[in-house]
Amino acid sequence: MMRTRPLKVALLGCGVVGSEVARIMTTHADDLAARIGAPVELAGVAVRRPDRVREGIDPALVTTDATALVKRGDIDVVVEVIGGIEPARTLIITAFEHGASVVSANKALLAQDGAALHAAAEEQDKDLYYEAAVAGAIPLIRPLRESLAGDKVNRVLGIVNGTTNFILDKMDSTGAGYQEALDEATALGYAEADPTADVEGFDAAAKAAILAGIAFHTRVRLDDVYREGMTEVTAADFASAKEMGCTIKLLAICERAADGESVTARVHPAMIPLTHPLASVRGAYNAVFVESDASGQLMFYGPGAGGAPTASAVLGDLVAVCRNRLSGTTGPGESAYAALRVSPMGEVVTRYHISLDVADKPGVLAQVATVFAEHGVSIDTVRQQGKDGEASLVVVTHRASDAALNGTVEALRKLDTVRGVASIMRVEGE
Amino acid sequence: MMRTRPLKVALLGCGVVGSEVARIMTTHADDLAARIGAPVELAGVAVRRPDRVREGIDPALVTTDATALVKRGDIDVVVEVIGGIEPARTLIITAFEHGASVVSANKALLAQDGAALHAAAEEQDKDLYYEAAVAGAIPLIRPLRESLAGDKVNRVLGIVNGTTNFILDKMDSTGAGYQEALDEATALGYAEADPTADVEGFDAAAKAAILAGIAFHTRVRLDDVYREGMTEVTAADFASAKEMGCTIKLLAICERAADGESVTARVHPAMIPLTHPLASVRGAYNAVFVESDASGQLMFYGPGAGGAPTASAVLGDLVAVCRNRLSGTTGPGESAYAALRVSPMGEVVTRYHISLDVADKPGVLAQVATVFAEHGVSIDTVRQQGKDGEASLVVVTHRASDAALNGTVEALRKLDTVRGVASIMRVEGE
């Protein structure tokens, strides 16, 4: 049964993602109409540069006045693909106030102001969908929010940034250093001119906050996410990882504590075993591992960015939101009933790989081992290598808290026989 | 806002999956209530053997009269985990007629009678959800039906049967023959006493029919699915696969033809490159690759069977169906508007690996090559091996239709110099 009055969509932003959304809305109009139960019509496109030629978009639809567009009152769904905090935030809230539901791909905004946006949507009884905000085309938010709604998620462990995965994969496969691999990523268009948001982990941290909130039905703010970038990862770290049968990935990790009463969210580089499915995620691909009580281990894999893949996620949400409007209902909103404590990084428990430069003389290992023991950090393996009067000591620990590890490292630095701490890296995925 | 009147759930079947559903409904009652917006209550459990002790289930709820249970009129959702065609089919239709929505894990029934069941659901304006029918806990139906609703799926390629993957993985890693690997699978509980449904591909074919229908928005009947089991796969096939940098998997493949106007669905063993993500799916795990216009390649991976994982999928559906009932709506029903032709196997185009036993004399290769050429099948590589007057010829073709390949093989068998066709295997995933 097809309704003939079309649903009206306002598109905010017409860059890489927005232009793909507009293109697919046109080329796949019949399919979208059949799947929704009514045609969808592009009613307006807000852009910053109206003079730019946009193939396939009626110039009469283009406006620079995004606010007027979302205030029109006849818009069913606002698709926000501008990115950034403002004006996106105000435009979305204004859209709700004027009767529209919203589909957004804005990870930074959702991570920072998700609670307020959800509250605004709920107040107006409207939908806020944002599958495209995390891991591009990979269905992740819907599976976590709906498919696993009858399960208890204990951990989300993923590669959610394609730029850094490209760089780390390149370092791993070619032995290149960080700068060389970054330069190649930039040349190939995988890294932006200013790669800070990617390489310092800000992008991944926003996604971790969103995923943790949905997975654990609790509120996780961006500030709650511990963040460490991957600019300090060296070719030597990759060599060490290889010796352990590992590789290095920038991971977003959201975990429920063993007692079930608190959660943590963090982003940092980590060694993972080559046998772990995440180890073989190549290039700019993303993949997310989800561990739950009943379902066990699931993995979701695909392109984590790019115009068309992100548009695919936006359009999946658009179909759902349009269907909801036709049936006069809304989908699942924010689910934060669990109200769990978000623990600081010091309480995170994991394993560590520590490389020390030490004096090459008897008793050093005993000294070092004593420091670990005093801080309650149990050692799994130690490897000593001597070279020209200097020696290196590679220690891999059993599971210990981040606080205990930090205390250990601080004490190690004070030992006369320890010349320096060459690297500390977490070991995950076991 | 929590409603206090509980939603009532009738459970049909209390075996491996049903008992897990009941257990999680009890242990996770608070979480389910919070996620649904109302408590859910187990209102009855229909079983065949009422005297069996069922831990955690109130004996007063247990009945052998499933029909009376679904006819009660106060049941909100019927969860059908009996399996098989009857009585499941009649019970589900009766449930719709008496006001209930249905969550089912029944792949055989959905593959055979999906259209009729969907029609019955739609007539009564009720939900029919069945995420658990395909690939256990792996979210697959919801992503295909909802996340990719704005995209155009061109191919679904997957390992959807854990038993056969366990056997093939064992053959690959140990060099064991089929029977030996099957015996181990049986001893470990991965294969049933009668493994026919798994090893002959019936189980995978049912899943392929369901997946193809959802992916392509068209009706694909079980009879439309070409099916070939994996009992003929030999250790020699694995050796040949290794030489090509491949392994062998039993694949379910649903494809849209290049012209977009027809689709195919098939299940058969195939060689896939070791570099393909599906090649590294080990043991009884399942994984499904989905290729779409906009999203590119996605993969979904996880446990494809087992009580708890299947229960996780059932409960995810239960939460969705309960939410729909509370908001007085229904989720997406059958989407078969595309009404595409399902092409016969002869039209399927792929590559082939053919091993021939031939006479070891000059001119044989020329003869064989001529036969391929006459049938329009282009050869990619040929490898000749002589041994004691006999020789073997291994031919790998470029892409050709199944009909052309069959014609080729028929003609090859008639050559005096071809002593036998040792094996024919498709090559996929490139």
Side-chain angles (χ1 to χ4, degrees):
Chain A
M1 196 170 44
M2 178 76 74
R3 204 180 69 149
T4 47
R5 186 180 84 70
L7 288 148
K8 292 189 178 176
V9 175
L11 183 58
L12 309 184
C14 199
V16 178
V17 177
S19 58
E20 276 296 310
V21 170
R23 188 187 62 77
I24 297 173
M25 281 185 67
T26 309
T27 56
H28 290 44
D30 292 347
D31 281 318
L32 292 172
R35 295 172 192 184
I36 291 167
V40 277
E41 172 188 296
L42 198 57
V45 183
V47 301
R48 272 185 306 178
R49 285 164 293 188
D51 300 332
R52 206 158 146 192
V53 176
R54 291 179 169 85
E55 209 183 325
I57 294 178
D58 180 355
L61 297 178
V62 176
T63 174
T64 53
D65 192 345
T67 304
L69 181 57
V70 301
K71 280 185 174 174
R72 263 174 50 173
D74 66 336
I75 302 296
D76 291 285
V77 187
V78 168
V79 173
E80 183 272 305
V81 286
I82 305 173
I85 305 302
E86 286 293 356
R89 187 182 187 285
T90 302
L91 288 169
I92 289 175
I93 289 173
T94 309
F96 289 137
E97 289 166 355
H98 289 79
S101 285
V102 172
V103 174
S104 171
N106 194 330
K107 56 194 166 276
L109 178 58
L110 263 301
Q112 182 180 305
D113 284 325
L117 294 176
H118 274 293
E122 197 169 341
E123 197 179 319
Q124 305 291 338
D125 202 21
K126 296 291 173 287
D127 271 329
L128 171 62
Y129 274 52
Y130 45 92
E131 181 68 75
V134 181
I138 309 174
L140 206 52
I141 291 181
R142 187 175 273 102
L144 280 173
R145 192 156 73 164
E146 302 182 36
S147 305
L148 291 166
D151 208 333
K152 186 179 178 186
V153 176
N154 295 311
R155 188 199 280 207
V156 177
L157 176 78
I159 295 165
V160 295
N161 181 277
T163 304
T164 48
N165 199 60
F166 180 91
I167 295 170
L168 291 168
D169 186 20
K170 188 57 63 178
M171 291 173 72
D172 186 34
S173 58
T174 67
Y178 165 70
Q179 190 59 48
E180 188 186 337
L182 170 63
D183 290 346
E184 184 171 347
T186 310
L188 291 170
Y190 287 116
E192 295 180 46
D194 176 0
T196 309
D198 295 316
V199 300
E200 295 295 353
F202 291 102
D203 173 87
K207 292 164 178 170
I210 296 171
L211 288 175
I214 294 173
F216 305 132
H217 297 267
T218 198
R219 209 164 273 170
V220 177
R221 295 172 308 120
L222 187 51
D223 292 348
D224 293 330
V225 182
Y226 173 84
R227 182 192 51 75
E228 219 175 87
M230 45 70 74
T231 58
E232 312 280 306
V233 177
T234 63
D237 290 328
F238 273 101
S240 297
K242 279 211 173 78
E243 280 174 24
M244 281 184 67
C246 285
T247 185
I248 298 170
K249 296 290 186 187
L250 183 72
L251 297 178
I253 305 174
C254 313
E255 282 177 317
R256 189 189 293 276
D259 66 3
E261 297 305 310
S262 69
V263 298
T264 53
R266 52 196 165 107
V267 168
H268 54 70
M271 294 185 182
I272 57 167
L274 291 172
T275 51
H276 194 284
L278 288 179
S280 54
V281 175
R282 300 269 165 247
Y285 272 80
N286 282 195
V288 176
F289 226 70
V290 178
E291 295 178 14
S292 309
D293 265 5
S295 73
Q297 299 186 319
L298 302 173
M299 189 171 78
F300 304 81
Y301 166 95
T310 308
S312 172
V314 166
L315 284 158
D317 279 354
L318 181 65
V319 169
V321 169
C322 286
R323 289 179 51 89
N324 289 346
R325 279 182 86 88
L326 287 182
S327 63
T329 183
T330 54
E334 188 188 26
S335 176
Y337 71 89
L340 301 170
R341 186 171 69 90
V342 184
S343 304
M345 188 62 188
E347 293 181 27
V348 166
V349 172
T350 189
R351 299 177 62 206
Y352 304 86
H353 176 283
I354 304 129
S355 295
L356 303 172
D357 294 325
V358 296
D360 191 9
K361 55 185 185 184
V364 174
L365 176 55
Q367 271 192 319
V368 166
T370 303
V371 170
F372 276 87
E374 282 168 355
H375 289 81
V377 178
S378 168
I379 291 175
D380 180 16
T381 60
V382 183
R383 204 174 59 245
Q384 283 196 87
Q385 277 174 325
K387 42 170 189 185
D388 315 328
E390 292 272 311
S392 75
L393 213 55
V394 175
V395 178
V396 180
T397 74
H398 285 295
R399 285 166 61 78
S401 75
D402 203 76
L405 192 278
N406 283 337
T408 308
V409 170
E410 212 170 302
L412 287 172
R413 288 190 204 276
K414 289 181 187 150
L415 290 181
D416 287 344
T417 48
V418 172
R419 306 272 163 81
V421 179
S423 85
I424 307 169
M425 197 165 294
R426 296 175 185 85
V427 183
E428 305 284 346
E430 293 175 303
Chain B
M1 197 172 45
M2 179 76 75
R3 203 179 70 149
T4 48
R5 187 182 83 70
L7 289 148
K8 293 189 177 176
V9 175
L11 184 58
L12 309 184
C14 199
V16 177
V17 176
S19 58
E20 276 296 309
V21 170
R23 186 187 64 76
I24 297 172
M25 280 184 67
T26 308
T27 55
H28 289 45
D30 291 348
D31 281 318
L32 291 172
R35 295 172 193 183
I36 291 167
V40 277
E41 172 189 293
L42 198 55
V45 183
V47 301
R48 272 185 307 178
R49 285 164 295 188
D51 300 333
R52 207 158 146 190
V53 175
R54 292 182 169 82
E55 208 183 327
I57 295 179
D58 180 355
L61 296 178
V62 175
T63 174
T64 54
D65 192 346
T67 304
L69 180 57
V70 300
K71 280 186 174 173
R72 262 173 50 172
D74 66 335
I75 302 297
D76 291 285
V77 186
V78 168
V79 172
E80 184 271 307
V81 287
I82 305 174
I85 305 301
E86 287 293 355
R89 187 182 188 285
T90 303
L91 288 168
I92 288 174
I93 289 174
T94 308
F96 289 137
E97 288 167 355
H98 289 78
S101 284
V102 172
V103 174
S104 171
N106 194 328
K107 55 192 163 277
L109 179 58
L110 264 300
Q112 182 179 305
D113 285 323
L117 295 176
H118 274 294
E122 196 168 341
E123 197 178 320
Q124 305 292 338
D125 202 19
K126 295 292 172 287
D127 272 328
L128 170 62
Y129 275 51
Y130 47 91
E131 180 68 76
V134 181
I138 309 173
L140 206 52
I141 291 181
R142 187 175 274 101
L144 279 173
R145 193 155 71 165
E146 302 180 37
S147 306
L148 291 166
D151 208 332
K152 185 179 178 186
V153 177
N154 294 312
R155 189 199 277 209
V156 178
L157 176 77
I159 296 166
V160 295
N161 181 277
T163 304
T164 48
N165 200 60
F166 180 90
I167 295 170
L168 290 169
D169 186 18
K170 189 55 66 176
M171 291 174 74
D172 186 34
S173 58
T174 67
Y178 165 70
Q179 189 59 48
E180 188 186 337
L182 171 62
D183 289 346
E184 184 171 348
T186 310
L188 292 170
Y190 287 116
E192 295 182 43
D194 175 1
T196 310
D198 294 316
V199 301
E200 294 295 353
F202 291 101
D203 174 86
K207 293 163 177 169
I210 295 171
L211 289 175
I214 294 173
F216 304 133
H217 296 266
T218 198
R219 208 164 273 168
V220 177
R221 294 171 311 121
L222 186 51
D223 293 348
D224 293 330
V225 182
Y226 173 83
R227 180 191 52 74
E228 218 176 272
M230 45 69 73
T231 59
E232 311 281 307
V233 177
T234 64
D237 290 327
F238 272 102
S240 296
K242 280 211 174 80
E243 281 174 24
M244 282 182 65
C246 287
T247 186
I248 298 170
K249 296 289 187 188
L250 183 72
L251 298 178
I253 305 174
C254 313
E255 281 177 319
R256 190 189 293 276
D259 65 3
E261 297 306 311
S262 69
V263 298
T264 53
R266 52 196 166 109
V267 168
H268 54 70
M271 294 185 182
I272 56 166
L274 292 172
T275 50
H276 194 283
L278 289 179
S280 53
V281 175
R282 299 270 165 245
Y285 271 79
N286 282 194
V288 176
F289 226 71
V290 178
E291 295 178 15
S292 308
D293 264 5
S295 72
Q297 299 188 317
L298 302 173
M299 190 170 79
F300 304 81
Y301 166 95
T310 308
S312 171
V314 165
L315 285 157
D317 279 354
L318 180 65
V319 169
V321 169
C322 286
R323 289 180 49 90
N324 289 344
R325 279 183 86 88
L326 286 182
S327 63
T329 184
T330 53
E334 187 188 28
S335 176
Y337 72 89
L340 300 170
R341 186 170 70 89
V342 184
S343 304
M345 189 61 187
E347 292 180 26
V348 165
V349 172
T350 188
R351 297 177 64 206
Y352 304 86
H353 177 283
I354 303 130
S355 296
L356 303 171
D357 293 327
V358 297
D360 191 8
K361 55 185 185 183
V364 173
L365 176 54
Q367 270 191 323
V368 165
T370 303
V371 170
F372 275 88
E374 281 169 356
H375 289 81
V377 179
S378 168
I379 292 174
D380 180 14
T381 60
V382 182
R383 203 174 61 244
Q384 284 197 85
Q385 276 175 323
K387 43 172 189 185
D388 314 330
E390 292 272 311
S392 75
L393 214 55
V394 175
V395 178
V396 180
T397 74
H398 285 295
R399 285 167 61 79
S401 75
D402 203 75
L405 192 278
N406 283 337
T408 308
V409 170
E410 211 171 301
L412 287 171
R413 287 192 206 274
K414 287 181 189 150
L415 290 182
D416 287 344
T417 47
V418 172
R419 306 272 163 83
V421 180
S423 85
I424 306 168
M425 197 165 293
R426 295 175 186 84
V427 183
E428 306 284 347
E430 293 175 302

